[in-house]
Amino acid sequence: MSAIAIVGMGCRFAGAPDLQSYWKLTVEGRDSFGPVPMDRWDHTAIFDTNRRAADKTSAPHGAFIQDIRTFPALALGLPPRRVEVMDPQQRFTLEVCLQAIQDSGRKPEDMPHRTGVYVGITASEYRNLMGTRIVAQMMADGQLGDAPEDLDAIAAGVNRVVPSRPYSAPGALANMVAAAVAQELDLHGPAFTVDAACASALIACTSAVKQLRDGSIDAALVGGAYLQITPENYVAFSRIGAMSEAGRCRPFDKSADGFVQGDGAGALFLKRLEDAQRDGDRIYAVIDGAAFNNDGRGDGPMAPVEAGQIEVVKDAWQDAGRKGSEVGYVETHGTGTTVGDIAEFNALRKAIGEGVSGAAIGSAKANVGHTMSAAGMAGMIRAALAVHHKVLPPMAGFEEAKPELGIEGSGFVIPTEPTAWESDNRVAGVSSFGFGGTNAHVVLSQAPQTEAVAEQAEVLCMSAPDEASLRELAGELGKVVGITKEANRHLAWAFYFVDTLGAPGSADSAAAAVPGVRAPERVAVRGGVRAVRGPRAQVVGHQRLGRRRRRHHVLHAVLGALGAL
């Protein structure tokens, strides 16, 4: 079967606003668990240590993205009134898909005409929230119980909810999460949303792989998103004992007591391997095999079935044309529940455990929590980066394995420190198992070797709508490329600022955001263009461009060895 290349990735998780910070969080073995922010809901109102308390949760913590309101609507040409009633999951998916495209070195207009969009979405808490005005009317009419006497109090209780508008339906419906990506980026392949509970994103990925193989599309954007807008799932999953009362997720650990819910969104840009090689793409990893199934009849709608998991893992490895003994890393579903962990590990051993030696297992849920319909993306990105960087990531917070697992002597290990993956045949598996019994497994391997690219000067261009944002962006660039004061002795920088209002841009503040770059020194002014001399570079100041009354600073950082400049 045709292999599929991962050529771009994008993500936002709690404590990790982008791909680089997600990998850093992973290899450092940190987690992002903490109290529920007040801008989501007042957790004290629904928290109770009594598991039997009605409409309460015993889970104290979650993994939350700090800012889910900010969105570059104008840059994408979206009117504010539409964005105001757009599910944040829809906005996040559009953002991470754009990140994945840009990560590949492309712009949306460079995407193939037949690009499909496949997104996992399993809950729309925002839609439920937006419908509370209708529910309030039903309450006032006595349709849900005794009609209250104080109708004004009912109306006041929902007066901050935006009334229904023409954009409300497309903003809240789950199918529009994928459709909005296709429409806004002008993509013409199939675009649909998948709901297979916690397996949603990996089912979406498997669907895309199959359509790339059969030639019905030429590229795919695959994603998943989940944001905690209301405490509905906290209450529901606490009732079945699945959520951690300790406020941490520790898969396969003796101390594990369930999962912690997390915010997240992730996306992959996929192409057929031969197309990616032809186009000279940077390839993170290759998808060799993928499979999905359902457990069929079991002990209940949410109980894992070992036989179903064995079958889907075997099918994926058969699809990949690989032996299980080749596996070096498995990104497990790993929820931290007793029943789930034992069933998954037993199934893994029986499916591909024969001949395995020293294969690491891990789970992104130990870092960013259970991101539900985005969980498959958290796992795929983590595994692809492990293959790409040749590093086996640690399991965050892991101390001692559940004795029932029998990990010792199994051929599998749980690393507690990042470990060099010294192998010329790096192969990984990724699992997602949804309640309701739908399972998915994907097999990844390293990209084919290519000729090394000679060192050369690179141009890194950044733009921001204002000086503060520009400074922040410059600082983030420094973190991404690992810039230090020592490294800056070998780098050259040039800053260019364009200000359409005619006010001078501040090169000082942007330079100060990059370690080791001192503020430029002003040297001359000629006809509205201010020339500035900086460290081994020149800085050119502002000039008026066109009639647009919007201030826009542009920073071009020229980065390379001095001898090459």
Side-chain angles (χ1 to χ4, degrees):
M1 302 295 289
S2 298
I4 305 302
I6 302 174
V7 300
M9 300 192 290
C11 67
R12 284 184 71 183
F13 294 104
D18 51 46
L19 192 63
Q20 291 76 25
S21 55
Y22 179 51
W23 179 241
K24 189 173 187 289
L25 182 79
T26 293
V27 295
E28 292 179 355
R30 295 182 288 112
D31 67 54
S32 52
F33 307 141
V36 179
M38 284 298 294
D39 64 354
R40 300 297 178 93
W41 62 83
D42 181 359
H43 201 59
T44 60
I46 57 108
F47 178 75
D48 197 315
T49 55
N50 178 7
R51 295 185 183 182
R52 296 182 178 277
D55 301 323
K56 302 290 184 179
T57 177
S58 55
H61 289 165
F64 294 88
I65 292 173
Q66 290 186 352
D67 180 11
I68 64 169
R69 299 174 184 274
T70 304
F71 181 64
L74 295 179
L76 293 167
L78 295 173
R81 286 180 65 83
R82 177 180 175 186
V83 175
E84 191 177 18
V85 290
M86 182 184 283
D87 188 338
Q89 294 179 142
Q90 191 177 133
R91 295 192 274 105
F92 268 56
T93 301
L94 184 54
E95 283 190 68
V96 296
C97 284
L98 274 169
Q99 288 178 13
I101 293 171
Q102 293 166 349
D103 184 52
S104 75
R106 289 175 175 78
K107 297 176 291 185
E109 53 265 35
D110 298 330
M111 296 294 286
H113 181 81
R114 296 194 308 167
T115 296
V117 182
Y118 309 80
V119 181
I121 296 291
T122 193
S124 183
E125 295 169 13
Y126 180 80
R127 181 183 180 185
N128 296 344
L129 196 63
M130 294 299 288
T132 54
R133 292 177 66 93
I134 308 301
V135 174
Q137 293 181 55
M138 297 174 68
M139 292 172 62
D141 290 342
Q143 297 180 44
L144 304 179
D146 295 336
E149 294 182 4
D150 190 351
L151 298 184
D152 290 338
I154 294 291
V158 292
N159 63 10
R160 289 186 298 180
V161 178
V162 179
S164 183
R165 295 176 176 171
Y167 282 125
S168 294
L173 293 174
N175 77 290
M176 286 301 299
V177 176
V181 174
Q183 290 177 350
E184 297 306 323
L185 304 185
D186 196 25
L187 307 175
H188 295 265
F192 56 83
T193 300
V194 176
D195 182 0
C198 315
S200 297
L202 214 57
I203 295 294
C205 181
T206 303
S207 300
V209 166
K210 293 182 181 300
Q211 294 203 319
L212 281 164
R213 284 174 168 178
D214 68 24
S216 58
I217 57 173
D218 295 316
L221 291 173
V222 175
Y226 175 69
L227 294 175
Q228 305 165 88
I229 308 297
T230 73
E232 293 174 27
N233 277 345
Y234 273 72
V235 173
F237 288 117
S238 287
R239 296 297 293 173
I240 62 174
M243 294 192 72
S244 170
E245 294 183 354
R248 58 182 189 170
C249 185
R250 298 291 180 254
F252 308 107
D253 196 282
K254 183 179 179 179
S255 66
D257 67 338
F259 61 79
V260 173
Q261 274 198 179
D263 291 337
L268 308 175
F269 176 10
L270 306 181
K271 297 171 68 174
R272 285 180 286 271
L273 177 59
E274 58 267 28
D275 294 345
Q277 291 174 313
R278 177 200 65 205
D279 297 340
D281 290 319
R282 180 269 322 276
I283 301 172
Y284 284 107
V286 173
I287 298 175
D288 292 323
F292 48 42
N293 73 354
N294 190 276
D295 291 332
R297 184 181 293 114
D299 293 334
M302 291 169 287
V305 177
E306 187 178 300
Q309 295 183 15
I310 293 172
E311 180 181 87
V312 77
V313 173
K314 281 186 172 180
D315 286 351
W317 284 80
Q318 182 177 356
D319 185 54
R322 290 186 175 275
K323 297 179 181 178
S325 57
E326 296 179 67
V327 70
Y329 177 69
V330 180
E331 175 67 23
T332 64
H333 188 56
T335 57
T337 61
T338 299
V339 174
D341 284 356
I342 292 174
E344 180 170 12
F345 187 72
N346 287 342
L348 192 62
R349 290 183 65 177
K350 293 174 183 178
I352 59 172
E354 185 177 350
V356 169
S357 177
I361 62 175
S363 172
K365 294 176 184 63
N367 302 101
V368 296
H370 193 345
T371 54
M372 303 298 180
S373 44
M377 286 299 100
M380 282 291 290
I381 292 171
R382 194 170 188 262
L385 288 172
V387 169
H388 180 67
H389 290 299
K390 305 179 185 180
V391 174
L392 297 169
M395 181 83 85
F398 183 80
E399 295 178 352
E400 182 182 353
K402 286 183 171 75
E404 306 97 305
L405 298 177
I407 285 183
E408 189 173 346
S410 68
F412 292 97
V413 297
I414 300 179
T416 56
E417 297 289 340
T419 307
W421 194 348
E422 303 290 353
S423 175
D424 294 328
N425 184 34
R426 297 187 300 282
V427 182
V430 182
S431 292
S432 275
F433 307 133
F435 62 81
T438 297
N439 309 306
H441 189 82
V442 172
V443 179
L444 302 176
S445 66
Q446 68 194 61
Q449 290 187 344
T450 57
E451 293 183 9
V453 178
E455 290 189 6
Q456 60 185 27
E458 299 288 347
V459 178
L460 304 177
C461 300
M462 293 176 288
S463 66
D466 53 56
E467 182 182 320
S469 299
L470 183 61
R471 179 175 182 175
E472 180 182 356
L473 189 59
E476 289 301 315
L477 172 69
K479 294 176 185 178
V480 169
V481 298
I483 294 171
T484 63
K485 292 183 179 180
E486 177 66 21
N488 261 297
R489 294 195 305 158
H490 307 290
L491 305 177
W493 293 84
F495 296 89
Y496 297 83
F497 293 85
V498 177
D499 186 343
T500 59
L501 288 177
S506 172
D508 297 7
S509 61
V514 182
V517 177
R518 67 178 183 271
E521 179 183 349
R522 302 179 185 181
V523 294
V525 176
R526 294 186 182 89
V529 177
R530 178 168 53 86
V532 187
R533 192 174 307 282
R536 297 185 177 89
Q538 254 195 343
V539 182
V540 179
H542 73 281
Q543 57 183 313
R544 187 182 299 274
L545 294 180
R547 297 182 178 179
R548 299 180 66 183
R549 300 294 296 174
R550 181 173 60 88
R551 184 169 185 169
H552 187 67
H553 294 290
V554 181
L555 165 65
H556 290 246
V558 180
L559 173 62
L562 289 178
L565 292 177

